Amino acid sequence: MKKIILNLVLAATLIPGPAGAWEPVGDRISTKWAADVNPEKPWNVYPRPVMERSAWENLNGLWQYAIVPANDAEPEEWQGEILVPFAVESSLSGVGRNVGRDNALWYQRTFAVPSSWKGNDILLNFGAVDWSCDVWVNDIKVGGHKWGYTPFSLDITPALKSKGENTVTVRVTDSTSDGYQPRGKQVTRPEGIWYTPVTGIWQTVWLEPVPAANHIASIKTTPDIDKRRLTVEVTPSKENSSLVAEVKVLENNKTVASARSLVSQPIEVVMPAGFKLWSPEAPNLYDVEVTLMSNGKPVDAVKSYAAMRKVSTARDKNGIVRLQLNNKDIFHFGPLDQGWWPDGLYTAPTYEAMVYDIDKTKDWGFNMIRKHVKVEPETWYAYCDRKGMLVWQDMPNGDNGPEWQMHKYFTGTERKRSAESEANFRREWKEIIDAFYNYPCITVWVPFNESWGQFKAPEIVEWTKTYDPSRLVNPASGGNHYHIGDMLDIHHYPGPEIKLMDGERANVLGEYGGIGMVVPDHIWSRDRNWGYTQFNSAKEVTDQYVEYIDRLLKFVPAGYSGAVYTQTTDVENEVNGLMTYDRKVIKIDEDRVRKANRALSNSLSK
């Protein structure tokens, strides 16, 4: 895989004000990386690793902002500067204000299109905006987007000026927990296990030139290790049945396989004999080059990567259904990772901060991360691909759910969603799967957590399995439970237990642990800290942690095939992390935890 490109950005024109005027706000704790935030160009990292073009321009930085009543027109005066891509409620935004359901958050900045891009169409790309936004360029509306966790692109070419500076304006509304939309752990009134709202732009905004005649709009890559095939589907921006797509698979810059087809047909690349598999122990990635051609001449080209890996279930010699990777039993073991930051909320201060959590998780001997009711930037998944980290990907919850019946099969009546709420869930879940389909680290989709927003679970799970048969589906981590999907997932705090088993599916413990420890001067609140248990030293925490692992090891022969420990870090008022919220204190004996974790992760290895 080609390394994620850093600092390959053309200089952008930035009008709002001097970078030195920005500084974090508030008096909460912060990470060490907060000091590394560059207000002129934060998050200067190529945002889309699985479909890469060399020319792009980062629009992160200081924008003008205003918070006004939702029904008001564009503000005549701006209220200050906000640092994109940090949510307005965060410290690193430089604002630290709540928006609320009755207001709208407005952004504006100017930019210039590089002269070298002349003759191309220009796309304005957003990594994610929470929740509903409208976008104007030079006072011409160019589009909008709902759904706070997925990237989107707008062709702004018709709205651009022939020369000089352009103005982009964005309007955002977000009712958080007062609305029906997926929002994870965000609530309007944070307390306990519920956290600060995240409103507005929270991932990179960037410009990209693409060929005007036609360009590659998307690619979809599916491995099949049993048939020795890598299938690539290429979608052009404009339908044209005469276009041809070519795919080259490379290893160490040498082409090892290639194939062509009309764009209307999937491209089936036969991989060489002895191709390398991807796994946590050996995360082998192949570079991929995709070229769109018309009349034998290249029209557009992108760089990508792929992994040959298979995710499945099968019965072992004792008849127990096991999770499998590449046709071999594997115990999935990892932390519940919520991806929150005291200074950036949903957004890590820097790329280096983001990957630190993944590096520590790998170093501690885990082979999996459950990404809990949040979706990360694409660069997060690309790093997991490189590190060999399995990912269970949750759908962020929202709206209301039925009564929770966590340790038995559901016998109650599901609460009905409105037609608008139900349609919104389905659209966003599909967008998430589409956006992150090409990242091989994702091995399990989790449409529901416990009963949070759960509705029509059998129908949603069946759709998910049909739409993406290349992955497993955990129907509802922690319940409510139905005889559906690929696994039965129970939650039990604090220690691991077996409360319900299924002979037809894999059995996993989707949450346990929550060992709490308050570290003074590294906490979000002085008097509202919470954990399932409370200890006072790293030794006490580690002793309890290892005792839970020993208990889990005894449950593996009985049927458990995976487990999730709560959690990677403290988050706001929760103090049950393996490290503090600011990532400055590790709360465990790392050597002992690493040894215990590896014993569990390798418990099903032959």
Side-chain angles (χ1 to χ4, degrees), residues 231-518:
T231 301
V232 182
E233 300 170 58
V234 180
T235 302
S237 59
K238 301 170 186 175
E239 289 188 14
N240 185 336
S241 59
S242 65
L243 291 174
V244 172
E246 178 184 61
V247 172
K248 292 182 179 180
V249 179
L250 300 92
E251 183 180 11
N252 297 324
N253 297 318
K254 179 182 178 182
T255 301
V256 296
S258 63
R260 294 183 178 187
S261 79
L262 295 174
V263 290
S264 60
Q265 301 297 316
I267 306 164
E268 293 190 358
V269 182
V270 180
M271 296 296 289
F275 64 86
K276 295 178 180 178
L277 296 171
W278 180 94
S279 70
E281 297 76 27
N284 298 301
L285 298 172
Y286 288 93
D287 290 330
V288 174
E289 295 179 355
V290 181
T291 304
L292 190 65
M293 294 181 290
S294 178
N295 298 320
K297 296 181 179 180
V299 174
D300 190 19
V302 296
K303 294 183 178 181
S304 186
Y305 66 91
M308 296 300 291
R309 65 103 177 90
K310 177 184 177 182
V311 184
S312 59
T313 62
R315 293 189 183 276
D316 66 11
K317 63 182 180 180
N318 297 316
I320 298 172
V321 178
R322 298 296 188 185
L323 303 176
Q324 289 202 323
L325 180 67
N326 303 330
N327 297 320
K328 294 181 179 180
D329 295 347
I330 181 173
F331 192 94
H332 289 215
F333 184 46
L336 192 79
D337 190 310
Q338 305 206 58
W340 283 76
W341 300 83
D343 32 33
L345 299 180
Y346 259 15
T347 310
T350 64
Y351 176 82
E352 292 74 19
M354 181 188 74
V355 302
Y356 174 82
D357 283 6
I358 302 171
D359 284 337
K360 293 306 297 182
T361 302
K362 187 77 172 182
D363 181 58
W364 288 332
F366 294 108
N367 63 9
M368 177 266 282
I369 292 171
R370 180 180 169 202
K371 180 48 62 177
H372 187 46
V373 296
K374 182 199 176 191
V375 180
E376 293 288 355
E378 293 188 62
T379 48
W380 187 89
Y381 300 93
Y383 196 77
C384 287
D385 289 340
R386 292 166 55 189
K387 296 293 288 189
M389 186 63 71
L390 306 173
V391 174
W392 292 11
Q393 180 59 57
D394 286 11
M395 170 67 175
N397 57 284
D399 214 336
N400 296 312
E403 180 184 357
W404 188 18
Q405 300 176 14
M406 61 177 171
H407 291 149
K408 61 183 179 179
Y409 282 97
F410 185 63
T411 57
T413 301
E414 286 197 336
R415 182 176 296 172
K416 291 184 178 180
R417 289 184 181 227
S418 68
E420 185 178 22
S421 171
E422 181 175 324
N424 181 82
F425 177 97
R426 295 176 188 272
R427 285 194 300 265
E428 185 158 7
W429 186 223
K430 179 180 181 298
E431 271 205 13
I432 289 170
I433 294 174
D434 287 342
F436 301 95
Y437 182 92
N438 291 335
Y439 293 96
C441 63
I442 300 176
T443 51
V444 177
W445 295 119
V446 189
F448 298 110
N449 177 72
E450 296 174 354
S451 65
W452 300 355
Q454 191 176 21
F455 77 103
K456 296 184 179 178
E459 183 180 328
I460 297 298
V461 170
E462 181 182 5
W463 178 89
T464 304
K465 283 190 63 63
T466 301
Y467 192 66
D468 183 6
S470 71
R471 291 180 171 90
L472 302 179
V473 179
N474 180 346
S477 184
N480 292 322
H481 303 301
Y482 298 79
H483 291 281
I484 54 177
D486 295 298
M487 60 189 75
L488 173 65
D489 177 332
I490 74 160
H491 293 175
H492 192 275
Y493 286 100
E497 296 290 348
I498 296 178
K499 292 292 185 178
L500 189 66
M501 294 289 285
D502 191 310
E504 302 301 316
R505 299 176 292 166
N507 292 272
V508 300
L509 181 63
E511 290 182 30
Y512 81 97
I515 301 171
M517 174 179 155
V518 173

Side-chain angles (χ1 to χ4, degrees), residues 4-24:
I4 296 175
I5 296 177
L6 299 175
N7 301 321
L8 186 62
V9 184
L10 299 172
T13 301
L14 182 61
I15 294 302
W22 168 86
E23 61 181 5

Side-chain angles (χ1 to χ4, degrees), residues 31-294:
T31 67
K32 66 179 182 180
W33 298 280
D36 299 330
V37 173
N38 177 3
E40 292 186 358
K41 198 74 66 174
W43 269 93
N44 200 20
V45 179
Y46 189 81
R48 194 184 56 212
V50 289
M51 205 174 86
E52 178 186 310
R53 292 187 175 92
S54 59
W56 70 293
E57 184 169 352
N58 189 343
L59 294 187
N60 292 342
L62 290 169
W63 295 45
Q64 302 279 22
Y65 89 93
I67 299 172
V68 298
N71 293 327
D72 283 9
E74 178 183 330
E76 295 182 0
E77 294 184 0
W78 299 97
Q79 297 167 1
E81 295 176 331
I82 183 171
L83 187 61
V84 171
F86 299 103
V88 67
E89 295 91 348
S90 73
S91 169
L92 290 177
S93 72
V95 178
R97 293 175 58 188
N98 288 348
V99 176
R101 66 179 179 181
D102 298 323
N103 294 318
L105 168 63
W106 288 79
Y107 297 82
Q108 190 173 92
R109 67 155 289 167
T110 61
F111 65 93
V113 177
S115 59
S116 59
W117 294 4
K118 186 176 182 180
N120 291 289
D121 284 349
I122 307 300
L123 302 182
L124 176 60
N125 302 311
F126 292 81
V129 179
D130 193 350
W131 176 69
S132 178
C133 73
D134 299 289
V135 183
W136 292 261
V137 172
N138 298 325
D139 296 323
I140 299 171
K141 190 171 182 179
V142 293
H145 186 260
K146 287 186 178 180
W147 317 308
Y149 298 94
T150 47
F152 62 99
S153 298
L154 303 172
D155 186 344
I156 63 172
T157 312
L160 294 172
K161 296 178 180 178
S162 58
K163 58 181 179 179
E165 294 171 349
N166 299 275
T167 300
V168 57
T169 306
V170 180
R171 175 185 183 271
V172 180
T173 56
D174 180 18
S175 54
T176 312
S177 54
D178 292 328
Y180 59 77
Q181 74 266 27
R183 39 84 180 177
K185 290 258 194 119
Q186 304 175 57
V187 292
T188 53
R189 290 167 291 279
E191 62 178 348
I193 65 169
W194 306 102
Y195 315 141
T196 303
V198 172
T199 302
I201 299 168
W202 67 275
Q203 290 184 31
T204 293
V205 185
W206 52 295
L207 294 174
E208 176 184 25
V210 294
N214 213 328
H215 66 269
I216 298 170
S218 67
I219 60 175
K220 184 178 181 180
T221 305
T222 307
D224 187 331
I225 69 171
D226 298 324
K227 295 181 179 179
R228 217 175 85 197
R229 297 287 193 276
L230 181 68
T231 301
V232 182
E233 300 170 58
V234 180
T235 302
S237 59
K238 301 170 186 175
E239 289 188 14
N240 185 336
S241 59
S242 65
L243 291 174
V244 172
E246 178 184 61
V247 172
K248 292 182 179 180
V249 179
L250 300 92
E251 183 180 11
N252 297 324
N253 297 318
K254 179 182 178 182
T255 301
V256 296
S258 63
R260 294 183 178 187
S261 79
L262 295 174
V263 290
S264 60
Q265 301 297 316
I267 306 164
E268 293 190 358
V269 182
V270 180
M271 296 296 289
F275 64 86
K276 295 178 180 178
L277 296 171
W278 180 94
S279 70
E281 297 76 27
N284 298 301
L285 298 172
Y286 288 93
D287 290 330
V288 174
E289 295 179 355
V290 181
T291 304
L292 190 65
M293 294 181 290
S294 178

